Amino acid sequence: MNAGASSSPPAGRVALVTGGTRGIGLGIARALAREGWRLALCGLRESAAVAGVIEELATAIPVEYWQADVARREDRRRLVDGVVERFGGIDALVNNAGRAPRVRADLLEASEESFEEVLRTNLQGPYFLTQAVAAHMAARRAAEPDRPAAIVFVTSVSAEMASPERGEYCVSKAGLAMAARLFAVRLAPLRIPVYEVRPGIIATDMSAPVKATYDRRIAEGLVPERRWGQPEDVGRAVAALLRGDLPYATGTVVVVDGGLGLPRL
């Protein structure tokens, strides 16, 4: 990801996208597939349940799927080892997998069990997955000094915007935003840029239960662009970062929210 990087990925580059078979992750996977990335995807569903998605993505590029829970240490280790064995290495990591609380509960009533479950998936998992992949990238960089590498954390506007009925989710995304900064500082001397992409209100399975509420609020002007965000919007932003379209900018936060966070009177 140096100045003057080409507008398309070098042949054979591999991107690991967690949660890459549905929602925002699928939007990212589709955007990368169009640009010729070889894709390693993971998720909680069995292979048979995602076969249609894999077939769609694999029309022009190799795509492999691992059933793996990023919240589990054993699954993270198996995932990284499997991707490296299958593809020979990892050139880009997109930390996208995440979960919402099973129940939206008032801040004064939410359970510790929910807090622990959400933070294991949304923060602890990607934090230590990045640790493992970054170590792999650093070792590979020593052998191939000019090989590009990059890491993207997909967080949320909830990293800053408070929702007291899902406090554990907000805390997890705020922590993930700091993780992105930490890895950006640590990996900058190795010329491995780290970015944060911060989506707003995106039309996915996760947001489906509150669709009616946000349809109304968006129509009333909550989002200045007056529409839902789409997984494709986030995918195009991630693809641009991994292409190297934003050089000399490690640690940058790219907000994809239709203006939701703009201060207004």
Side-chain angles (χ1 to χ4, degrees):
M1 294 296 172
N2 301 324
S6 65
S7 60
S8 60
R13 287 191 68 193
V14 177
L16 169 56
V17 183
T18 65
T21 63
R22 67 197 313 170
I24 289 174
L26 180 54
I28 294 169
R30 285 172 171 156
L32 296 180
R34 285 195 299 270
E35 299 197 0
W37 286 84
R38 296 192 291 170
L39 296 176
L41 309 178
C42 76
L44 297 178
R45 293 182 289 173
E46 295 182 356
S47 297
V50 301
V53 170
I54 301 304
E55 183 178 358
E56 170 207 332
L57 293 170
T59 55
I61 45 89
V63 181
E64 295 286 344
Y65 176 76
W66 280 262
Q67 184 180 9
D69 183 352
V70 297
R72 295 173 54 85
R73 180 187 307 176
E74 299 81 4
D75 283 17
R76 293 192 300 267
R77 183 181 300 116
R78 177 172 53 82
L79 174 64
V80 173
D81 289 347
V83 176
V84 172
E85 180 179 358
R86 168 64 179 84
F87 289 110
I90 301 170
D91 300 293
L93 168 64
V94 183
N95 285 301
N96 165 77
R99 66 168 302 118
R102 294 181 187 271
V103 177
R104 289 182 173 230
D106 182 88
L107 191 63
L108 303 184
E109 300 172 353
S111 70
E112 288 194 38
E113 290 77 13
S114 178
F115 187 94
E116 291 171 355
E117 181 179 47
V118 171
L119 263 74
R120 276 199 306 271
T121 297
N122 293 5
L123 179 55
Q124 183 174 339
Y127 187 97
F128 285 102
L129 179 62
T130 302
Q131 182 189 68
V133 173
H136 160 76
M137 288 177 170
R140 203 176 190 200
R141 173 56 55 81
E144 302 178 69
D146 295 325
R147 189 175 187 95
I151 295 171
V152 174
F153 287 81
V154 180
T155 63
S156 167
V157 293
S158 294
E160 288 190 343
M161 304 179 79
S163 299
E165 76 284 359
R166 52 180 191 143
E168 59 269 74
Y169 184 80
C170 296
V171 169
S172 73
K173 293 299 184 177
L176 197 62
M178 176 52 73
R181 296 185 186 96
L182 289 165
F183 279 104
V185 171
R186 177 63 181 84
L187 298 178
L190 301 178
R191 294 183 298 112
I192 300 173
V194 179
Y195 305 102
E196 178 190 348
V197 173
R198 191 174 288 183
I201 302 170
I202 309 296
T204 66
D205 293 347
M206 186 182 294
S207 59
V210 292
K211 183 179 185 302
T213 297
Y214 280 104
D215 280 345
R216 174 181 54 79
R217 296 187 68 189
I218 290 170
E220 292 170 350
L222 175 66
V223 178
E225 289 196 16
R226 299 294 180 105
R227 71 172 177 89
W228 281 80
Q230 298 298 321
E232 171 71 7
D233 297 320
V234 184
R236 291 174 65 180
V238 172
L241 293 171
L242 296 187
R243 275 199 309 270
D245 288 359
L246 208 64
Y248 201 58
T250 191
T252 292
V253 179
V254 178
V255 181
V256 185
D257 71 352
L260 172 66
L262 291 172
R264 287 169 282 168
L265 288 173

